[in-house]
Amino acid sequence: MFLRGIRGATTVEHNEAQEILTATGELLAAIVEANDFRPEEICSVFITVTEDITATFPARAIRTMIGWELVPLMCSLEVPVENSLPKCIRLMVQVNTTKSQAEINHIYLKEAKALRPDIVKLTNEATR
């Protein structure tokens, strides 16, 4: 068994609580589906947001998902780099798994696809 990190990111158009919660839930659901794991296999989830996301904690979306109540969650501010992608939510899901690093599917949605086009391409090819 290994501890693997699964990366993911998405964006929102507006700094509105419901949009942030919806986008976070969609991202986590896509990560779970692409990697086929259960909440009890999760070590923790580290969440970062860009400084223009202040309406709510994205962790609230995960906390309301069935089975995720006991998973440790941590929110933080992303490093504010000039000209970086705005209104971005990033997840680092740490999962206990027997999968190899190459078998892990990282998920980038919406405008966040621009962050890692190499991974987006690989993920799209793997799901064909």
Side-chain angles (χ1 to χ4, degrees):
M1 181 93 36
F2 303 98
L3 177 61
R4 301 281 187 209
I6 305 173
R7 288 291 316 269
T10 191
T11 55
V12 293
E13 291 185 21
H14 307 97
N15 181 31
E16 296 175 354
Q18 192 54 55
E19 186 176 353
I20 293 165
L21 297 173
T22 299
T24 303
E26 289 171 350
L27 177 58
L28 183 60
I31 290 171
V32 169
E33 181 178 340
N35 291 283
D36 190 33
F37 61 80
R38 300 178 319 267
E40 57 268 12
E41 297 168 322
I42 302 302
C43 170
S44 62
V45 180
F46 187 62
I47 307 155
T48 65
V49 295
T50 49
E51 59 189 347
D52 48 7
I53 295 179
T54 60
T56 191
F57 292 102
R60 286 183 50 217
I62 300 170
R63 191 64 64 222
T64 63
M65 296 171 72
I66 295 171
W68 289 82
E69 303 86 358
L70 300 177
V71 174
L73 307 174
M74 177 69 70
C75 291
S76 182
L77 188 61
E78 186 68 31
V79 177
V81 175
E82 287 183 29
N83 301 314
S84 62
L85 184 65
K87 294 187 180 71
C88 187
I89 302 164
R90 292 174 173 88
L91 300 182
M92 173 69 77
V93 180
Q94 296 179 312
V95 60
N96 295 300
T97 183
T98 57
K99 291 183 181 183
S100 70
Q101 196 72 282
E103 294 174 292
I104 298 297
N105 296 302
H106 306 279
I107 303 297
Y108 292 83
L109 305 175
K110 301 177 185 173
E111 299 302 315
K113 290 179 181 179
L115 294 172
R116 293 297 305 267
D118 56 325
I119 289 177
V120 170
K121 183 176 187 260
L122 287 173
T123 302
N124 289 341
E125 289 172 0
T127 57
R128 285 186 194 159

